[in-house]
Amino acid sequence: MSIEALSYVLSLDVGHPTRKLILLGYANHVHADGTASYAKPATIARYANCSERTVQRHLDDLLRAGLLREGDQRLVDHLPRHGRPIVYDVAMSGEASSAWAAAYRPGRRATAARHGARGGRRAAENRVRGDTVTPGPVAGGDNTTPRAEGPEPQVGGGDDLAPQDPGIHRGDTATSPGRGDTALSPEPSPFNRPSSSPTADAEEEGQPYQRSASAERLVSQLPGPLSGHQRRRVAAEVAAKLDAGWPEDALRTELVADVGSARSKAAVYLHRLNALPGCPPYDATEQRASRPEHCGTCEDRTRFRETPDGRPYPCPACHPVPARRADGARVESALASALSA
Ligand SMILES: [Zn+2]
């Protein structure tokens, strides 16, 4: 427990009372420096008098805002894999929050939420239960990367069981009147542009030779064994990521990290490709883009603005990555229509 973290979180306005209780719950389990909370979602749900699903939803917001980040997952290596909670760090300063928000990349949590939203209530239930039940084949094979293992396989199954459930979305907004969670997550979300459609389109009009050659070269450099079918599936996903602007080197680094002991390499690669954001992380892109002149409104260092309730979003005027500027513009128009509603 950390008095410092608790008192810091108490001083924050995080825009929603339940979200604040959830953050306090995590702060109650961290070290003095704010790191290494591995409370189970059930524990946090008990603190906040809410469901585990509500915890999951607010977790996404807290991560995106940089108030939490995923910590050193090796700290739970000693726990049984199927019941392993995720390790979180709690930001102990506004500076840390800005940096974490800028570095935020949707990992398993955001991926799970995305599937939950698409798959409806059944999928959401699977997602919550997924923390304690046997993981599917993909998660099982990915035993070397804690951040990538988890409930997505069950969640994917949920897509078939329960198609659209608009009730989920109604429920989300009803619990936060006047704030509009949905307004701040414009569709398509900045982080989850479908990665497969560019490939499908390209295949229809004849794949650009160079891109598919790069994808095949990259796949041929990955540790195997991979069957021909697996090779083609991985190559198609790699090609989509290359299309989205991922540099080949960065992609290779993401894929080969700690893959040594995984049972099914193909499952690990596909799982990781699926979990990667549609466009490359901030740093990789920033190196290639020239930095526009500062607009004077956003934070100069991160080029992020903040919503009235303190959530950072990319500056629509001067963020160095055009796609992120477009994301920021969507957030602002959502804010504007939320205000006029
Ligand atoms: Zn700006």
Side-chain angles (χ1 to χ4, degrees):
M1 165 171 150
S2 160
I3 294 289
E4 294 87 347
L6 282 172
S7 63
Y8 178 70
V9 170
L10 279 169
S11 75
L12 291 175
D13 176 0
V14 304
H16 192 283
T18 303
R19 189 176 305 144
K20 187 156 182 170
L21 283 170
I22 289 167
L23 187 56
L24 276 170
Y26 282 104
N28 191 39
H29 287 259
V30 293
H31 298 319
D33 64 354
T35 63
S37 174
Y38 48 95
K40 296 194 173 209
T43 307
I44 301 296
R46 192 156 40 78
Y47 288 154
N49 275 14
C50 68
S51 68
E52 289 185 38
R53 214 186 91 213
T54 301
V55 171
Q56 306 267 7
R57 184 163 58 80
H58 285 293
L59 260 176
D60 290 338
D61 291 329
L62 291 166
L63 289 165
R64 193 176 300 121
L67 295 164
L68 283 178
R69 72 171 174 191
E70 293 191 4
D72 185 350
Q73 306 303 322
R74 287 171 302 186
L75 294 170
V76 290
D77 276 353
H78 62 288
L79 297 174
R81 195 146 64 83
H82 297 163
R84 241 178 239 174
I86 301 176
V87 180
Y88 291 104
D89 299 339
V90 173
M92 299 281 284
S93 68
E95 222 167 70
S97 285
S98 305
W100 295 2
Y104 170 76
R105 290 171 54 196
R108 48 176 286 179
R109 187 64 56 185
T111 310
R114 179 169 89 221
H115 284 287
R118 205 196 308 139
R121 202 176 302 280
R122 184 64 163 277
E125 283 165 11
N126 285 347
R127 166 155 50 93
V128 172
R129 281 204 315 272
D131 283 339
T132 47
V133 301
T134 309
V138 172
D142 196 6
N143 52 14
T144 56
T145 46
R147 104 181 137 79
E149 79 182 31
E152 286 94 328
Q154 291 93 341
V155 166
D159 284 344
D160 305 322
L161 298 171
Q164 282 303 106
D165 184 355
I168 296 274
H169 296 295
R170 278 202 306 279
D172 283 349
T173 44
T175 54
S176 49
R179 255 210 57 260
D181 279 335
T182 48
L184 293 176
S185 328
E187 289 294 337
S189 144
F191 302 114
N192 60 20
R193 288 185 202 88
S195 60
S196 52
S197 52
T199 316
D201 292 344
E203 271 162 3
E204 272 172 23
E205 61 195 46
Q207 268 188 16
Y209 169 74
Q210 190 165 357
R211 193 209 63 193
S212 73
S214 311
E216 273 158 29
R217 182 175 60 236
L218 199 159
V219 172
S220 72
Q221 294 163 344
L222 298 175
L226 297 176
S227 71
H229 173 69
Q230 290 170 333
R231 197 173 290 279
R232 280 190 298 278
R233 281 187 61 197
V234 174
E237 291 297 324
V238 165
K241 286 290 186 277
L242 292 174
D243 268 356
W246 275 85
E248 202 177 322
D249 288 345
L251 214 47
R252 188 184 303 108
T253 305
E254 293 279 349
L255 291 178
V256 301
D258 299 327
V259 77
S261 62
R263 269 183 292 128
S264 166
K265 304 282 196 295
V268 173
Y269 298 143
L270 289 170
H271 186 72
R272 287 182 181 177
L273 284 161
N274 189 41
L276 288 173
C279 51
Y282 186 74
D283 288 340
T285 317
E286 192 188 14
Q287 286 167 3
R288 299 180 306 142
S290 63
R291 201 168 166 83
E293 203 174 327
H294 183 221
C295 71
T297 303
C298 65
E299 221 250 286
D300 188 12
R301 191 175 50 83
T302 61
R303 298 299 171 95
F304 267 64
R305 297 184 182 186
E306 271 197 2
T307 63
D309 62 354
R311 297 209 261 169
Y313 62 91
C315 180
C318 73
H319 191 283
V321 183
R324 306 306 306 279
R325 288 202 291 276
D327 295 336
R330 273 198 291 275
V331 172
E332 290 206 338
S333 74
L335 278 172
S337 56
L339 279 175
S340 63

